[in-house]
Amino acid sequence: MSTLHLRSWSGNADRPALALHCMMGNGVYWGPIAEQLHDRVQISAPDLPGHGQSPDWEEGASDYHTFVTRETATLIDRPLDLIGHSMGATVALRIAVAAPEAVRSLTLIEPVLFAAAPEAFNEALLDDVGARLAAGEDAEATRAFLSVWGGLDWESQTPSGKARLTRQIRLVQASNEALREDSANILRPDGLESIDAPVLIVMGNESPPVIPAIADALASRLPDVGRARVPGAGHMLPITHPRQVAELIGLNLDRA
């Protein structure tokens, strides 16, 4: 049984959906989307390890991405609609590749599988974050990362908020092998091609350039895929543009 804290919203119990949040977020932000889709699906959302109300991740036998994937997979006991944002989208994709029969539809919002399309600016940013962490400059590493991927003003954060984000930057670093090097082998031959559920890749129109490049790389191999951009949105669009994101998820639900 998963150790993750799981929250569920009211909805259509005959059609379960699982939503996976981004790094440094938590499952709460799926609430407005779950409410908008309540007549279609019943959304549940775990807090990933080290986030929200779930236990911290203690480095051990498996890397962070593998641990998250295993814990999340235990929440799936029948085919369902799988939704993921950012790092959560890469976990959703990993599950779909490993067990395509478990996925009714797959919605990937800003998937950060950097190995699919390495991009110079993003690679330099992540190298800089790693160097700052190695030097013990965790707060500066956090600020640098969030300036591109966070969609928030660091200076406006409370001291406790800054402390939480600074702890979680280590989880970003612990995900590098999976996201930058594809240590999980998500991109293996015939892997993406095995997903026969309808897939939708959703992006913000103002997201970092690596995101559309990743979307192109993934879409070129997925058998049944659509792509959508949300005008005026950046990487954190499930929080900033929940209505538009919910409408797009609904379109993909219809395709299943």
Side-chain angles (χ1 to χ4, degrees):
M1 173 178 268
S2 176
T3 62
L4 302 181
H5 176 78
L6 184 69
R7 55 178 54 81
S8 297
W9 291 267
S10 61
N12 180 2
D14 292 330
R15 188 164 182 183
L18 191 65
L20 308 178
H21 67 76
C22 68
M23 190 72 77
M24 301 170 124
N26 62 65
V28 170
Y29 71 64
W30 294 109
I33 293 171
E35 291 171 9
Q36 187 166 331
L37 295 171
H38 77 277
D39 59 335
R40 312 281 295 282
V41 292
Q42 182 175 29
I43 291 181
S44 298
D47 290 339
L48 302 183
H51 296 77
Q53 299 180 53
S54 285
D56 288 338
W57 173 65
E58 296 184 7
E59 189 171 358
S62 63
D63 64 275
Y64 182 72
H65 199 276
T66 297
F67 184 78
V68 172
T69 303
R70 288 174 179 168
E71 289 290 298
T72 301
T74 65
L75 301 172
I76 302 174
D77 58 8
R78 56 172 162 157
L80 49 63
D81 298 286
L82 195 53
I83 305 159
H85 171 220
S86 192
M87 203 277 285
T90 69
V91 173
L93 184 60
R94 184 173 179 177
I95 291 171
V97 168
E101 70 282 358
V103 180
R104 183 168 177 174
S105 72
L106 179 63
T107 303
L108 305 174
I109 304 166
E110 299 265 318
V112 289
L113 187 55
F114 301 128
E119 187 265 338
F121 175 81
N122 187 63
E123 291 295 299
L125 169 67
L126 297 178
D127 286 344
D128 178 62
V129 168
R132 292 179 186 274
L133 289 174
E137 300 172 357
D138 289 31
E140 289 305 312
T142 306
R143 179 187 288 190
F145 179 80
L146 292 175
S147 69
V148 175
W149 292 106
L152 55 80
D153 176 22
W154 174 257
E155 297 304 331
S156 70
Q157 301 302 302
T158 64
S160 62
K162 288 180 179 178
R164 172 182 58 80
L165 294 167
T166 300
R167 288 193 305 272
Q168 291 172 336
I169 194 65
R170 291 284 173 177
L171 301 180
V172 173
Q173 186 73 3
S175 302
N176 271 348
E177 286 190 9
L179 302 185
R180 300 180 69 182
E181 302 172 22
D182 192 28
S183 61
N185 208 18
I186 298 170
L187 299 172
R188 60 184 176 269
D190 299 323
L192 299 178
E193 291 81 359
S194 71
I195 302 174
D196 58 4
V199 181
L200 178 65
I201 303 174
V202 181
M203 299 168 281
N205 202 49
E206 298 177 3
S207 295
V210 69
I211 290 294
I214 292 170
D216 288 344
L218 298 179
S220 69
R221 294 181 52 192
L222 290 163
D224 183 1
V225 62
R227 279 179 283 184
R229 286 179 181 260
V230 177
H235 183 62
M236 300 303 292
L237 66 169
I239 296 174
T240 61
H241 293 70
R243 179 183 60 80
Q244 295 93 323
V245 169
E247 289 174 354
L248 291 169
I249 293 171
L251 293 175
N252 204 38
L253 297 177
D254 289 343
R255 296 173 60 222

